[in-house]
Amino acid sequence: MKIVVTGTSNGIGKAIAEKFLACGHTVVGIDKVQPSLSHAHYTHVLTDIFSGQLPEIDGVEILINNAGVQDSGCDIDINLKGTIRVTEKYAIQQKIKSVVFIASASATTGSEFPEYVASKGGMVSYMKNVALRIAQYGATSNSLSPGGVITPLNQHIIDSPELWQQVMDETPLNKWALASEIAEFAYFVAVVNKSMTAQDIVIDNGESAKAKFIW
């Protein structure tokens, strides 16, 4: 199948692209940064999803909206408006089979930078709107909302024993997810899943479920 993945230069997006390539699919990556992976069935498009020129890509069957920024001053422009721009261009058509949005657990908890939370919360709402519109093609639309993930974006926490311990104190499973784990979820939701749509899946090692019981 032909897959479009945004934000493939590193972290979750790169892991997702690698997963689909390993399973024999053709992947087009869209990122404003030069590619860090090379594969015979991978094509990299160097552009900004919000302000850049999006290429014509025929026959997109799966779209993975992963590109995003955090506390950048333009989180809503890129994370939400850019994602809408990409989705409207590639997903609302007869060949589409699945759209997956990489949102954030903070869309549920509100525990993040204000504009980042707003951008991801908006993404989850938009995901449901897309689900309603592509159902006519038999296609699904869902979002994954990771909590902490081992990626370069979070390196300052990973490298700080004090910050890491504070995070682990709020995380019942006492760990963060790997980018490859999120990629496995993305593949299942996009390819294996045929019946779940308009749903947000939180993958946060229990952080959002934590409650301190006082008796």
Side-chain angles (χ1 to χ4, degrees), residues 71-77 79 112-121:
D71 196 29
S72 66
C74 52
D75 289 17
I76 291 175
D77 283 342
N79 299 354
E112 258 279 13
F113 303 104
E115 285 195 18
Y116 182 80
V117 169
S119 71
K120 294 298 187 176

Side-chain angles (χ1 to χ4, degrees), residues 8-214:
T8 53
S9 63
N10 56 50
I12 293 172
K14 181 180 179 181
I16 290 173
E18 290 173 334
K19 172 64 180 180
F20 277 90
L21 289 167
C23 292
H25 300 285
T26 298
V27 176
V28 178
I30 299 177
D31 203 309
K32 65 179 182 179
V33 178
Q34 291 288 350
S36 57
L37 61 87
S38 177
H39 192 282
H41 298 294
Y42 177 75
T43 302
H44 192 82
V45 177
L46 198 64
T47 193
D48 188 295
I49 63 168
F50 174 64
S51 60
Q53 183 175 351
L54 297 177
E56 297 300 323
I57 306 174
D58 294 328
V60 176
E61 295 169 273
I62 294 174
L63 171 62
I64 311 290
N65 283 304
N66 167 77
V69 293
Q70 185 182 54
D71 196 29
S72 66
C74 52
D75 289 17
I76 291 175
D77 283 342
I78 296 173
N79 299 354
L80 183 54
K81 293 181 180 179
T83 292
I84 291 173
R85 185 169 179 245
V86 169
T87 306
E88 295 298 322
K89 185 171 183 67
Y90 300 125
I92 315 300
Q93 43 88 13
Q94 292 184 346
K95 291 187 178 179
I96 197 69
K97 292 180 170 59
S98 179
V99 182
V100 178
F101 298 81
I102 306 302
S104 168
S106 66
T108 298
T109 65
S111 180
E112 258 279 13
F113 303 104
E115 285 195 18
Y116 182 80
V117 169
S119 71
K120 294 298 187 176
M123 181 186 288
V124 172
S125 295
Y126 175 67
M127 170 273 291
K128 296 181 180 184
N129 173 271
V130 172
L132 295 175
R133 290 192 288 143
I134 65 175
Q136 62 180 311
Y137 308 125
T140 63
S141 172
N142 296 284
S143 56
L144 303 179
S145 284
V149 181
I150 303 293
T151 67
L153 181 67
N154 296 316
Q155 199 62 47
H156 71 289
I157 294 177
I158 298 166
D159 291 342
S160 168
E162 181 180 353
L163 289 176
W164 182 255
Q165 188 57 54
Q166 289 181 43
V167 169
M168 288 301 101
D169 288 343
E170 300 299 320
T171 310
L173 288 183
N174 202 43
K175 68 181 185 67
W176 271 2
L178 300 175
S180 59
E181 292 180 69
I182 307 303
E184 293 288 344
F185 273 99
Y187 190 85
F188 178 86
V189 169
V191 178
V192 180
N193 165 57
K194 300 293 189 252
S195 298
M196 180 182 68
T197 195
Q199 301 301 311
D200 180 53
I201 302 171
V202 178
I203 310 163
D204 70 347
N205 285 292
E207 185 176 351
S208 61
K210 188 173 187 246
K212 186 177 181 180
F213 179 60
I214 308 296

